[in-house]
Amino acid sequence: MTAYIIRRLLFIVPTMLGIMFVAFVVVQFAPGGPVEQVIAKLSGSDTGATSRISGSPGGDFGNRAMQGGGAVDAVSSKYRGAQGLDPEFIKKLEKQFGFDKPAYERFGLMLWNYARFDFGNSYFRDVSVLQLIKEKMPVSMSLGIWMMLLTYLISIPLGIKKAVDDGSRFDMWTSSVIIVGYAIPGFLFAILLIILFAGGSFLDWFPLRGLVSENFHSLPWYRQVLDYFWHLTLPIIAMALSAFATMTLLTKNSFLEEIRKQYVLTARAKGCTRNQVLYGHVFRNAMLIVIAGFPSAFVHAFFTGSLLIETIFSLDGLGLLGFESVLNRDYPVVFATLYIFSLVGVVVNLISDLTYTWIDPRIDFESREV
């Protein structure tokens, strides 16, 4: 097992290199880089997500840029909308963003810095990327952790119950509800919850904005706990809907497959009770496929899965940060979040494989190739 773990750890290096290389190449061909973002802001044509950015790096010498008048040459003409700006200003922008270096040199420097977890500063927010991620982490952690706990605590027992009572009225009724829930997009369900329970058209029971209330710190501890979950209730329900349906059906099908195997009949013939068979023999075998989906569910819950929910409920987390960074071409934030979540995904995948052996010692990764 030790040799397997070492091989998997070493395999992380080429995996991360491949991910970062593909992302870096794609970015080189993406139109509207950070230089163009600053030019658009100065020329008054800034729209969309970029219009919400404050503290643009071009602000320090924006007046000088506009004073350039007709000084246009090959340096500025390669950027759309740069006509009329001072070429010297364009060169300073390129140097500030690092675009005065060739692509291979920028990629090598990025890898060296990221290997030391030095992610630099955001282009447009005047703060380090790590500090920015640290500020947004509590929101995404709150949504991700509680959503996964809620999903697993409800879906696994419900899936087991549906497998045991397969074909019953309870199984048919819950399956209908689950299929309908799975078919409804999370963001659409979030809007429905707002309309029904957050002052949309009916009840006004839950807040629409933020993770806690403005007077959170002045509340006693028990009120703080209630206020925290009061704000999280609707976002977590909206996020957990599709995950809940998927996990329930996955658990049911996994248990059904194991219940029909020969060793279950043998255990029953030996006089084992239903619970002894179910939790002593079937459980650890059936749970393997559920554990296999944990890494992707973990990363999905902390990043991509929360994007629309964070936007709808005005929660400033990592999902919204990554989305706005892509729109605004804030490359340090884009690459840093990609690097961190890819690394987390690879490591969690390794932990998941090791959990296999803990649940079922018959599994031996030592003889397998990575």
Side-chain angles (χ1 to χ4, degrees):
M1 181 56 66
T2 303
Y4 172 77
I5 294 175
I6 294 175
R7 291 201 306 269
R8 287 291 299 270
L9 291 175
L10 292 177
F11 190 69
I12 290 176
V13 177
T15 301
M16 296 303 300
L17 281 174
I19 293 172
M20 300 308 296
F21 176 75
V22 171
F24 186 83
V25 171
V26 170
V27 163
Q28 303 311 303
F29 295 98
V35 175
E36 287 89 339
Q37 298 292 330
V38 176
I39 292 174
K41 191 175 183 66
L42 291 174
S43 62
S45 60
D46 190 23
T47 59
T50 58
S51 62
R52 296 195 297 271
I53 295 178
S54 60
S56 170
D60 294 338
F61 28 78
N63 292 333
R64 290 179 53 193
M66 301 307 293
Q67 291 172 1
V72 182
D73 61 7
V75 175
S76 62
S77 62
K78 67 180 180 180
Y79 295 109
R80 184 179 179 181
Q83 287 77 9
L85 295 180
D86 186 356
E88 200 61 34
F89 167 72
I90 302 297
K91 290 180 180 179
K92 287 185 177 181
L93 274 182
E94 289 180 333
K95 184 176 182 179
Q96 183 172 345
F97 291 128
F99 291 105
D100 57 329
K101 302 180 179 68
Y104 68 87
E105 186 175 339
R106 285 186 280 121
F107 180 68
L109 182 62
M110 181 184 70
L111 292 180
W112 169 247
N113 290 333
Y114 282 17
R116 297 178 292 123
F117 288 92
D118 178 11
F119 301 108
N121 295 328
S122 167
Y123 282 162
F124 302 104
R125 299 174 188 259
D126 195 27
V127 65
S128 71
V129 174
L130 282 179
Q131 180 63 33
L132 198 57
I133 293 175
K134 183 180 177 181
E135 291 175 359
K136 312 298 182 183
M137 185 68 77
V139 173
S140 294
M141 286 186 65
S142 296
L143 292 175
I145 291 175
W146 291 114
M147 188 273 285
M148 291 193 65
L149 283 176
L150 181 67
T151 301
Y152 276 75
L153 289 176
I154 296 178
S155 298
I156 292 177
L158 180 59
I160 296 174
K161 175 67 175 174
K162 286 173 62 60
V164 173
D165 298 336
D166 182 44
S168 66
R169 180 175 296 180
F170 171 81
D171 179 45
M172 299 285 289
W173 180 79
T174 53
S175 294
S176 301
V177 174
I178 288 171
I179 291 173
V180 172
Y182 182 76
I184 300 175
F187 72 92
L188 188 61
F189 188 63
I191 296 173
L192 177 63
L193 290 175
I194 291 174
I195 294 173
L196 294 177
F197 302 110
S201 300
F202 296 92
L203 304 174
D204 191 7
W205 289 353
F206 297 96
L208 261 178
R209 182 178 299 274
L211 194 60
V212 293
S213 299
E214 293 182 0
N215 63 336
F216 178 79
H217 296 289
S218 63
L219 298 174
W221 68 268
Y222 62 91
R223 291 285 301 278
Q224 289 182 343
V225 174
L226 292 175
D227 182 78
Y228 172 73
F229 284 107
W230 182 48
H231 283 76
L232 278 179
T233 300
L234 296 186
I236 289 177
I237 292 175
M239 284 184 64
L241 183 65
S242 61
F244 165 77
T246 303
M247 185 60 63
T248 300
L249 294 178
L250 180 65
T251 303
K252 176 193 173 181
N253 293 334
S254 180
F255 271 80
L256 273 180
E257 183 179 353
E258 293 296 324
I259 287 173
R260 293 166 179 168
K261 289 185 177 179
Q262 185 64 41
Y263 74 88
V264 175
L265 297 177
T266 304
R268 287 176 176 171
K270 290 181 177 180
C272 294
T273 65
R274 188 178 75 167
N275 286 341
Q276 287 176 333
V277 173
L278 194 62
Y279 297 105
H281 298 80
V282 175
F283 184 80
R284 68 179 184 181
N285 294 329
M287 286 301 294
L288 287 176
I289 191 171
V290 176
I291 294 172
F294 176 78
S296 60
F298 180 86
V299 177
H300 179 79
F302 271 78
F303 188 53
T304 56
S306 61
L307 168 59
L308 292 175
I309 303 301
E310 288 179 8
T311 303
I312 292 172
F313 290 98
S314 300
L315 297 171
D316 195 8
L318 292 175
L320 188 59
L321 171 67
F323 175 70
E324 289 188 344
S325 299
V326 170
L327 291 183
N328 298 317
R329 305 300 190 268
D330 196 349
Y331 292 151
V333 179
V334 173
F335 286 123
T337 52
L338 174 65
Y339 179 84
I340 291 173
F341 280 98
S342 297
L343 185 61
V344 168
V346 173
V347 172
V348 171
N349 194 33
L350 173 59
I351 295 174
S352 175
D353 286 348
L354 297 179
T355 308
Y356 275 149
T357 62
W358 175 70
I359 294 177
D360 189 352
R362 296 172 300 173
I363 297 178
D364 181 19
F365 289 108
E366 190 71 30
S367 59
R368 293 178 55 190
E369 296 294 332
V370 178

PDB file of all heavy atoms in Angstrom, residues 16 76 82 102 117 157 245 252 283 296 301 331 333 359:
ATOM      1  N   MET A  16      -1.247  17.749 -12.528  1.00  0.00           N
ATOM      2  CA  MET A  16      -1.387  19.188 -12.350  1.00  0.00           C
ATOM      3  C   MET A  16      -0.746  19.957 -13.493  1.00  0.00           C
ATOM      4  O   MET A  16      -1.261  20.984 -13.939  1.00  0.00           O
ATOM      5  CB  MET A  16      -0.777  19.606 -11.013  1.00  0.00           C
ATOM      6  CG  MET A  16      -1.468  19.020  -9.794  1.00  0.00           C
ATOM      7  SD  MET A  16      -3.226  19.416  -9.713  1.00  0.00           S
ATOM      8  CE  MET A  16      -3.163  21.204  -9.650  1.00  0.00           C
ATOM      9  N   SER A  76      -0.149  49.962 -29.633  1.00  0.00           N
ATOM     10  CA  SER A  76      -1.519  50.078 -29.153  1.00  0.00           C
ATOM     11  C   SER A  76      -2.536  49.543 -30.139  1.00  0.00           C
ATOM     12  O   SER A  76      -3.641  49.186 -29.742  1.00  0.00           O
ATOM     13  CB  SER A  76      -1.828  51.539 -28.823  1.00  0.00           C
ATOM     14  OG  SER A  76      -1.717  52.325 -29.993  1.00  0.00           O
ATOM     15  N   ALA A  82      -7.845  50.526 -28.478  1.00  0.00           N
ATOM     16  CA  ALA A  82      -6.686  51.232 -27.922  1.00  0.00           C
ATOM     17  C   ALA A  82      -6.320  52.474 -28.713  1.00  0.00           C
ATOM     18  O   ALA A  82      -5.431  53.212 -28.293  1.00  0.00           O
ATOM     19  CB  ALA A  82      -5.482  50.286 -27.866  1.00  0.00           C
ATOM     20  N   PRO A 102       7.470  36.451 -23.039  1.00  0.00           N
ATOM     21  CA  PRO A 102       6.883  35.432 -23.918  1.00  0.00           C
ATOM     22  C   PRO A 102       6.045  34.443 -23.115  1.00  0.00           C
ATOM     23  O   PRO A 102       6.215  34.286 -21.900  1.00  0.00           O
ATOM     24  CB  PRO A 102       8.102  34.754 -24.551  1.00  0.00           C
ATOM     25  CG  PRO A 102       9.252  35.079 -23.648  1.00  0.00           C
ATOM     26  CD  PRO A 102       8.948  36.416 -23.044  1.00  0.00           C
ATOM     27  N   PHE A 117       3.105  27.771  -3.636  1.00  0.00           N
ATOM     28  CA  PHE A 117       1.811  28.331  -3.209  1.00  0.00           C
ATOM     29  C   PHE A 117       1.873  29.858  -3.121  1.00  0.00           C
ATOM     30  O   PHE A 117       1.275  30.461  -2.241  1.00  0.00           O
ATOM     31  CB  PHE A 117       1.374  27.733  -1.874  1.00  0.00           C
ATOM     32  CG  PHE A 117       0.933  26.301  -1.983  1.00  0.00           C
ATOM     33  CD1 PHE A 117       1.832  25.266  -1.794  1.00  0.00           C
ATOM     34  CD2 PHE A 117      -0.381  25.999  -2.314  1.00  0.00           C
ATOM     35  CE1 PHE A 117       1.431  23.944  -1.916  1.00  0.00           C
ATOM     36  CE2 PHE A 117      -0.797  24.685  -2.439  1.00  0.00           C
ATOM     37  CZ  PHE A 117       0.124  23.650  -2.235  1.00  0.00           C
ATOM     38  N   PRO A 157     -29.980   6.576   4.290  1.00  0.00           N
ATOM     39  CA  PRO A 157     -31.052   5.789   4.936  1.00  0.00           C
ATOM     40  C   PRO A 157     -32.281   5.609   4.041  1.00  0.00           C
ATOM     41  O   PRO A 157     -32.888   4.528   4.023  1.00  0.00           O
ATOM     42  CB  PRO A 157     -31.394   6.630   6.179  1.00  0.00           C
ATOM     43  CG  PRO A 157     -30.178   7.431   6.448  1.00  0.00           C
ATOM     44  CD  PRO A 157     -29.603   7.734   5.108  1.00  0.00           C
ATOM     45  N   ALA A 245     -31.463  13.551  -4.891  1.00  0.00           N
ATOM     46  CA  ALA A 245     -32.092  12.572  -5.772  1.00  0.00           C
ATOM     47  C   ALA A 245     -31.079  11.574  -6.308  1.00  0.00           C
ATOM     48  O   ALA A 245     -31.309  10.356  -6.301  1.00  0.00           O
ATOM     49  CB  ALA A 245     -32.789  13.299  -6.920  1.00  0.00           C
ATOM     50  N   LYS A 252     -29.921   3.120  -3.436  1.00  0.00           N
ATOM     51  CA  LYS A 252     -30.917   2.067  -3.616  1.00  0.00           C
ATOM     52  C   LYS A 252     -30.439   1.007  -4.605  1.00  0.00           C
ATOM     53  O   LYS A 252     -30.494  -0.207  -4.323  1.00  0.00           O
ATOM     54  CB  LYS A 252     -32.232   2.665  -4.107  1.00  0.00           C
ATOM     55  CG  LYS A 252     -33.287   1.604  -4.412  1.00  0.00           C
ATOM     56  CD  LYS A 252     -34.463   2.154  -5.187  1.00  0.00           C
ATOM     57  CE  LYS A 252     -35.383   0.999  -5.602  1.00  0.00           C
ATOM     58  NZ  LYS A 252     -36.543   1.467  -6.397  1.00  0.00           N
ATOM     59  N   PHE A 283     -23.905  -3.823   3.708  1.00  0.00           N
ATOM     60  CA  PHE A 283     -23.643  -2.389   3.821  1.00  0.00           C
ATOM     61  C   PHE A 283     -22.277  -2.002   3.261  1.00  0.00           C
ATOM     62  O   PHE A 283     -22.170  -1.099   2.429  1.00  0.00           O
ATOM     63  CB  PHE A 283     -23.758  -1.952   5.278  1.00  0.00           C
ATOM     64  CG  PHE A 283     -23.600  -0.468   5.479  1.00  0.00           C
ATOM     65  CD1 PHE A 283     -24.658   0.396   5.241  1.00  0.00           C
ATOM     66  CD2 PHE A 283     -22.386   0.068   5.885  1.00  0.00           C
ATOM     67  CE1 PHE A 283     -24.519   1.767   5.413  1.00  0.00           C
ATOM     68  CE2 PHE A 283     -22.236   1.433   6.054  1.00  0.00           C
ATOM     69  CZ  PHE A 283     -23.304   2.278   5.825  1.00  0.00           C
ATOM     70  N   SER A 296     -15.850  13.782  -6.517  1.00  0.00           N
ATOM     71  CA  SER A 296     -16.474  14.715  -7.456  1.00  0.00           C
ATOM     72  C   SER A 296     -17.575  15.516  -6.775  1.00  0.00           C
ATOM     73  O   SER A 296     -17.749  16.704  -7.042  1.00  0.00           O
ATOM     74  CB  SER A 296     -17.036  13.960  -8.659  1.00  0.00           C
ATOM     75  OG  SER A 296     -18.007  13.015  -8.241  1.00  0.00           O
ATOM     76  N   ALA A 301     -19.552  20.527  -4.869  1.00  0.00           N
ATOM     77  CA  ALA A 301     -20.279  21.291  -3.856  1.00  0.00           C
ATOM     78  C   ALA A 301     -19.543  22.562  -3.467  1.00  0.00           C
ATOM     79  O   ALA A 301     -20.153  23.586  -3.162  1.00  0.00           O
ATOM     80  CB  ALA A 301     -20.506  20.420  -2.618  1.00  0.00           C
ATOM     81  N   TYR A 331      -6.701  36.760 -14.356  1.00  0.00           N
ATOM     82  CA  TYR A 331      -6.015  35.486 -14.509  1.00  0.00           C
ATOM     83  C   TYR A 331      -5.389  34.930 -13.230  1.00  0.00           C
ATOM     84  O   TYR A 331      -5.421  33.711 -13.012  1.00  0.00           O
ATOM     85  CB  TYR A 331      -4.965  35.598 -15.615  1.00  0.00           C
ATOM     86  CG  TYR A 331      -5.558  35.779 -16.993  1.00  0.00           C
ATOM     87  CD1 TYR A 331      -4.875  36.456 -17.991  1.00  0.00           C
ATOM     88  CD2 TYR A 331      -6.818  35.265 -17.295  1.00  0.00           C
ATOM     89  CE1 TYR A 331      -5.427  36.635 -19.255  1.00  0.00           C
ATOM     90  CE2 TYR A 331      -7.370  35.438 -18.554  1.00  0.00           C
ATOM     91  CZ  TYR A 331      -6.674  36.117 -19.537  1.00  0.00           C
ATOM     92  OH  TYR A 331      -7.231  36.279 -20.780  1.00  0.00           O
ATOM     93  N   VAL A 333      -6.503  34.990 -10.228  1.00  0.00           N
ATOM     94  CA  VAL A 333      -7.579  34.343  -9.470  1.00  0.00           C
ATOM     95  C   VAL A 333      -8.074  33.110 -10.213  1.00  0.00           C
ATOM     96  O   VAL A 333      -8.330  32.064  -9.605  1.00  0.00           O
ATOM     97  CB  VAL A 333      -8.737  35.332  -9.229  1.00  0.00           C
ATOM     98  CG1 VAL A 333      -9.864  34.653  -8.461  1.00  0.00           C
ATOM     99  CG2 VAL A 333      -8.251  36.551  -8.472  1.00  0.00           C
ATOM    100  N   ILE A 359     -12.911   0.086   4.232  1.00  0.00           N
ATOM    101  CA  ILE A 359     -14.242  -0.512   4.255  1.00  0.00           C
ATOM    102  C   ILE A 359     -14.200  -1.981   3.850  1.00  0.00           C
ATOM    103  O   ILE A 359     -14.853  -2.832   4.449  1.00  0.00           O
ATOM    104  CB  ILE A 359     -15.195   0.269   3.329  1.00  0.00           C
ATOM    105  CG1 ILE A 359     -15.413   1.680   3.880  1.00  0.00           C
ATOM    106  CG2 ILE A 359     -16.522  -0.439   3.170  1.00  0.00           C
ATOM    107  CD1 ILE A 359     -16.279   2.541   3.007  1.00  0.00           C
TER     108      ILE A 359
END
